[in-house]
Amino acid sequence: MRAPADRELDRALGGRLWRMTGLAAVAGLAWAARDVPAALGGRLTGARAERAARSPQFRDGTFHNRAATRTMTTGDPGRNLVWELIFGKQRRRPSAPVPLLPPTPPPSTDVERELNIVWYGHASAMIEIEGRKVLVDPVWSDRCSPSAAVGPRRLHQPPVRLADLPPVDAILISHDHYDHLDMATVQELTRRQSAPFLVPLGVGAHLDRWGVPAERIVELDWSERHRVSGLDIIATAAQHFSGRGLRRDGTLWSSWVIAGAHRRVFYTGDSGYFDGYAEIGAEHGPFDVTLMQIGAYDRAWPAIHMFPEEAVSAHLDLRGGLFLPVHWATFNLALHDWSEPVDRLWAEAKARDVRLAVPRPGERVVVDDPPPVDGWWQAVA
């Protein structure tokens, strides 16, 4: 039988162990959240807030879509999204590594007619147009989250390092969600590049907080344009929402037109299908290539992300030439199978006679001579 003194010592040691465990847990949470306050970004104040208030898209303290939209629907009462997220049978990750192709050197061509796209995964891409380079929605971090320790993690690595990117002429951001605007990537691009950041109204507040010089921040409302390195870059409408914390729609979201003297590119950002695509096509098209969001859709949020078939309709509305899908393959952000977006897209493109390129991450697509669609993703689905 143990002596009372031994039992007392056991209790003391046990209590100390629990306290140490609790302190370790608190320390772990603090470590995981260490970058969160800065990653949440800034808020509209001063002249930036005054300019936002003058926007036709801004009223009652927030930005709005042209048509009333809901982020989530209230229908389908028998469906439990949380249960489906945890126990659903969808194959939401690839079964093997996603093949990466570091970009080959661009082909020798007439610079005035040059048009290539390098897709790095998700919505990140380089547009090489008439001798200029435009980087779109760059996200190089391991997670699209305010924390480096928790949140959706990459399903494949970036095919090139940020340090290996060539000098760019402009960096475009479509909106402030974490899978499109990443603090660490912005800070590294600020150090390594000299190009301006072109962003929708209000997004400059985030860049301010992260140390981007004011002279490198260009904020645009829909239909406003900025000329850089001989390119016209125009912010155009999208049907989406914004927010990095609990507050929604404090910054604007947009699609983008990149227009040179001879070539034109359209990028959707994130958006539901809406009649604005036909308007953009009539005013700014035709486009040699469109970069179209095809993934992270669900019938629970049909107004703010397109289904693949809707993306094909939008491409046709825009008077697009080559269709290049983005916003798939890299982050697990919805409940559909990993390969479902591009499978559905391929079928719809064939049915509607739409020219399609589906590059591997890192593969350069020469818009005038795109690689044939070979179904590469099916081998890793």
Side-chain angles (χ1 to χ4, degrees):
M1 181 175 180
R2 290 171 61 85
D6 291 335
R7 291 195 298 271
E8 187 63 30
L9 178 61
D10 288 345
R11 284 194 294 270
L13 290 173
R16 183 176 297 177
L17 179 61
W18 277 109
R19 287 193 295 274
M20 291 175 64
T21 302
L23 288 172
V26 171
L29 289 172
W31 179 84
R34 67 195 185 283
D35 294 328
V36 169
L40 292 174
R43 293 178 67 90
L44 273 68
T45 58
R48 180 171 282 116
E50 293 172 4
R51 185 182 176 202
R54 296 192 295 269
S55 168
Q57 281 61 250
F58 193 87
R59 60 183 181 274
D60 301 324
T62 60
F63 288 96
H64 294 261
N65 290 305
R66 289 181 175 173
T69 55
R70 297 179 65 92
T71 303
M72 295 282 287
T73 66
T74 56
D76 208 352
R79 189 181 186 200
N80 186 321
L81 290 175
V82 175
W83 187 94
E84 194 172 342
L85 177 67
I86 298 171
F87 300 108
K89 302 301 183 183
Q90 301 94 337
R91 300 183 65 175
R92 299 170 61 213
R93 297 174 177 274
S95 62
V98 175
L100 308 180
L101 287 182
T104 55
S108 299
T109 185
D110 179 0
V111 172
E112 291 186 353
R113 296 287 177 177
E114 178 194 35
L115 184 55
N116 312 314
I117 308 295
V118 180
W119 176 59
Y120 299 115
H122 198 58
S124 302
M126 183 80 78
I127 299 167
E128 301 172 338
I129 176 172
E130 298 180 5
R132 307 301 183 188
K133 292 180 173 61
V134 178
L135 183 61
V136 174
D137 279 352
V139 173
W140 256 251
S141 287
D142 193 45
R143 298 181 187 274
C144 56
S145 166
S147 169
V150 296
R153 193 168 192 172
R154 302 184 71 94
L155 301 176
H156 67 81
Q157 290 302 306
V160 298
R161 301 184 308 158
L162 274 180
D164 294 332
L165 291 182
V168 301
D169 295 276
I171 302 166
L172 306 189
I173 306 296
S174 63
H175 63 297
D176 72 359
H177 287 159
Y178 292 99
D179 58 321
H180 295 258
L181 178 63
D182 175 62
M183 179 179 71
T185 303
V186 165
Q187 290 175 329
E188 187 166 352
L189 287 170
T190 301
R191 292 189 296 267
R192 293 184 177 278
Q193 299 276 352
S194 60
F197 290 82
L198 277 63
V199 300
L201 285 181
V203 175
H206 303 319
L207 305 190
D208 273 345
R209 184 169 186 184
W210 301 337
V212 180
E215 64 271 17
R216 289 181 61 184
I217 302 173
V218 179
E219 293 184 76
L220 300 177
D221 200 351
W222 293 346
S223 299
E224 291 183 341
R225 66 181 63 209
H226 182 75
R227 191 161 179 82
V228 57
S229 299
L231 301 174
D232 273 332
I233 300 180
I234 307 155
T236 44
Q239 184 168 284
H240 199 55
F241 69 107
S242 66
R244 295 178 73 82
L246 297 178
R247 184 170 183 262
R248 287 278 181 89
D249 302 336
T251 64
L252 187 59
W253 46 95
S254 72
S255 57
W256 290 99
V257 170
I258 302 96
H262 306 286
R263 313 308 299 259
R264 287 178 175 261
V265 179
F266 178 80
Y267 167 52
T268 56
D270 279 0
S271 179
Y273 181 69
F274 72 126
D275 57 13
Y277 289 122
E279 297 174 11
I280 294 167
E283 182 174 358
H284 300 291
F287 295 99
D288 297 285
V289 60
T290 66
L291 280 63
M292 307 294 291
Q293 169 255 306
I294 66 162
Y297 52 80
D298 193 276
R299 65 183 185 272
W301 51 86
I304 49 97
H305 274 194
M306 285 186 286
F307 293 88
E309 296 81 6
E310 291 177 317
V312 172
S313 294
H315 169 86
L316 294 171
D317 290 347
L318 289 158
R319 302 163 65 201
L322 181 68
F323 185 122
L324 196 149
V326 299
H327 207 274
W328 77 284
T330 306
F331 294 109
N332 186 348
L333 302 176
L335 300 175
H336 53 64
D337 287 353
W338 174 79
S339 63
E340 181 185 296
V342 73
D343 283 333
R344 290 174 60 167
L345 169 66
W346 196 10
E348 187 73 4
K350 287 187 286 190
R352 303 180 73 175
D353 196 25
V354 167
R355 292 175 60 230
L356 178 66
V358 185
R360 295 154 178 81
E363 184 176 4
R364 175 178 278 104
V365 173
V366 179
V367 170
D368 293 335
D369 186 24
V373 181
D374 61 4
W376 62 263
W377 62 90
Q378 295 174 344
V380 299

